[in-house]
Amino acid sequence: MNGPLVIAIDGPSAAGKGTLARRLAAHFQLPHLDTGLLYRAVGLKAEKSGRPAGEIAISLQLSDLADPDLRTDRAGQAASKVAALPEIRANLLKFQKKFASQTSGAVLDGRDIGTVICPDAPVKLFVTASSDARAERRYQELRALGLDTIKPRVLAEMAERDRRDSERAAAPLRAAPDAFLLDTSDMDADAAFAAALAFIERKGFRSSGP
Ligand code: DC
């Protein structure tokens, strides 16, 4: 008998983990936490208010995650900087662990879910794609939002963020040894979902929905 289904999804930005996380959460009727939003909220609030990021991280509320500005690249860069600070990571740990331990199970996506937040999750996915494929996706997303940018700039900002997220000492971006590696460079969202679902079903988990 399997315990609760906890799906831990990690990977670099624009690899497709957010879309995959939402689709898996809907399929298995599980609550979903996009943990990048926590770091984005802390980074952006600290930048806007000038208050210490550690203090903001301790008192973060779910309502702080609804700010539409959190989706901007400014927030992504601010997030990546505060995410390198061990104090910030420690202050956000409890919130994430609590979310993951709901009796229903849960889906969490981020950079250290399978390695630090939920090392015992029964399902771990590491979602990657080539830098070119990720930059192209991010570029199209920004254009769809009506934001003016150029591809080389998107690529450069992404490379800077990848480097910071992977080279930091505190919980760097890494695949857990038992993670299922999913390279989505040549996959659309449907194909990525089908591959992830097949892996999860092989582990004995099935949707209880209609
Ligand atoms: O997934 P995202 O782009 O929203 O994440 C924003 C930044 O937050 C990312 O550059 C690194 C950091 N982050 C992290 O360090 N750990 C997580 N679990 C999630 C995000």
Side-chain angles (χ1 to χ4, degrees), residues 9 11 38 55-56 60 91 112 121 165 189 191 193 200 208-209:
I9 307 180
L38 304 175
E55 193 183 285
I56 294 171
L60 202 69
N91 289 353
D112 64 340
D165 295 344
F193 174 70
I200 296 169
S208 55

Side-chain angles (χ1 to χ4, degrees), residues 19 31 55 139 143:
T19 306
E55 193 183 285
Y139 175 65
R143 282 177 50 118

